[in-house]
Amino acid sequence: MRLAIVGLAVVIACSPPYTQVDTTGPDNDPTPPPPDGVAAFSVAPMSTTGTLTPLGSLAPPGHVLPTNHVYFYAVDFDHPPAIPDSTVRPVLAPTTGTVDQIIQSPGAVDTKIIFRVTSTFYYMLGHVVVTQPLKVGDILHAGDQVGVSNPGATVDLGAYDTGVTLSGFANPARYGRETLHCVSPWAYFTEPLLSEFYARLRRVPSAPDKDGHIDLDRLGYLAGAWYDQSLPIDSTESPNGWPRTVAFVTDYDDPSLVRVSIGGTIATPGLWTIPPTAPRPVDVTPANGLVAYPLMYTESTNVQWGLMLLKMTDATHLRIEVITGSQAATGAFDGAARTYIR
């Protein structure tokens, strides 16, 4: 039941994500950082006793891939209130930064704002209802109010450093700088917030770290993200790319658990797991031949939703077919199989 509550909360708070993808290179960003910018967060962007998450949460169809930002939730997933939280909370700048981009999806009431802090370090606040005139080039200092949250909703916090490049993407050309240079926002908080937030993060004690990860590809193996061969490389992180994406990754809360994230195209969007006896994606190679994954509901590994058939034909090509509703343990491809690539 715990995972069922989490899945519901993520979908409500984060769908749909913002639709603009930033691919501007760091060398031609015209927005200067503030003269006193420091890559350190001294203020919590939102005051809440709700759940805090590491990097890498999943919520298809929007977040088919592990998310490159973290969340300040109004609700505690493990102790949800009987009455939905309707509080509107102030959203504050966690450090001094120059407004670099203001992004609003069509029809959205909230906004995503990217701030430049130093020559290489940026941070992002998402799902903010801006309550004051704000334009590119404005400088906001740590503790300044940026806006407010939606009633009872989440606020996103992301950070990236163009001096850091993640090494775990099979095809880095598919990603914009917020993903390719993603860093954990939690690591940039100063004390006492640093210790408080790490103690509250929703991640099992057995995890190797508290921060989470998003670059989970393993070239030559099944693990990681795959894209329908019809998807242009520059559309990977756009709404056009979400349905044509499949990911074989680990759970953000408990990285010992496998998650199969489906954006659409081959089946209804959803997040599933596999039986503990099935081969782990980090172990599957072309040498395995046909692999059959019974897709299980994440809340209970003994309830099967369908059957996924897989075959890596080489290191960068994967045949996939999903038979919705099948309770079989294995099967064979038919005309519905599609080819996915890195």
Side-chain angles (χ1 to χ4, degrees):
M1 183 58 68
R2 178 171 181 256
L3 287 175
I5 293 171
V6 173
L8 177 61
V10 170
V11 169
I12 291 173
C14 305
S15 182
Y18 298 97
T19 56
Q20 179 172 333
V21 177
D22 172 36
T23 56
T24 304
D27 295 333
N28 57 11
D29 188 339
T31 306
D36 54 345
V38 178
F41 298 142
S42 59
V43 175
M46 185 173 80
S47 177
T48 176
T49 58
T51 294
L52 308 179
T53 68
L55 293 169
S57 63
L58 298 157
H63 289 307
V64 188
L65 301 179
T67 54
N68 58 14
H69 49 268
V70 303
Y71 299 102
F72 285 75
Y73 279 99
V75 174
D76 181 345
F77 291 167
D78 300 312
H79 305 89
I83 301 174
D85 186 309
S86 59
T87 305
V88 173
R89 294 171 170 82
V91 178
L92 309 178
T95 190
T96 299
T98 305
V99 176
D100 186 56
Q101 291 186 69
I102 301 172
I103 304 166
Q104 189 169 34
S105 293
V109 297
D110 54 26
T111 303
K112 170 180 174 179
I113 308 126
I114 297 175
F115 296 84
R116 189 175 192 182
V117 178
T118 71
S119 60
T120 64
F121 186 78
Y122 297 72
Y123 79 90
M124 177 276 291
L125 291 172
H127 296 296
V128 179
V129 179
V130 177
T131 54
Q132 61 180 308
L134 200 62
K135 65 183 184 300
V136 171
D138 286 349
I139 295 176
L140 272 68
H141 296 88
D144 286 350
Q145 184 165 345
V146 182
V148 296
S149 67
N150 280 316
T154 180
V155 165
D156 302 349
L157 175 64
Y160 63 97
D161 188 330
T162 57
V164 175
T165 300
L166 298 181
S167 60
F169 293 116
N171 188 353
R174 287 193 174 274
Y175 307 101
R177 62 179 179 174
E178 288 182 67
T179 297
L180 197 59
H181 305 295
C182 172
V183 293
S184 169
W186 303 119
Y188 289 83
F189 279 97
T190 58
E191 294 290 2
L193 291 174
L194 179 71
S195 295
E196 176 193 339
F197 289 159
Y198 272 138
R200 289 177 55 195
L201 279 182
R202 197 174 197 273
R203 194 152 165 91
V204 295
S206 59
D209 57 63
K210 283 286 191 178
D211 298 285
H213 300 275
I214 66 170
D215 56 330
L216 301 176
D217 296 348
R218 190 176 181 191
L219 191 58
Y221 293 79
L222 177 63
W226 294 84
Y227 306 95
D228 190 275
Q229 63 180 353
S230 67
L231 179 65
I233 196 168
D234 60 357
S235 298
T236 297
E237 293 188 290
S238 73
N240 187 43
W242 303 338
R244 292 185 274 180
T245 302
V246 175
F248 303 89
V249 291
T250 53
D251 184 71
Y252 81 97
D253 179 1
D254 184 350
S256 70
L257 302 176
V258 171
R259 295 290 180 250
V260 179
S261 183
I262 299 174
T265 303
I266 58 167
T268 302
L271 188 63
W272 315 103
T273 190
I274 59 176
T277 54
R280 307 292 91 177
V282 292
D283 298 323
V284 174
T285 71
N288 287 79
L290 181 69
V291 174
Y293 275 165
L295 296 179
M296 320 298 289
Y297 287 93
T298 57
E299 299 91 344
S300 173
T301 56
N302 59 10
V303 180
Q304 185 171 336
W305 173 80
L307 180 69
M308 174 178 277
L309 302 175
L310 308 162
K311 185 177 182 181
M312 291 183 65
T313 55
D314 59 36
T316 58
H317 289 79
L318 173 68
R319 294 282 285 168
I320 307 178
E321 181 177 348
V322 175
I323 308 170
T324 303
S326 173
Q327 300 299 297
T330 189
F333 288 125
D334 62 24
R338 299 184 67 92
T339 297
Y340 280 64
I341 60 175
R342 293 292 199 183

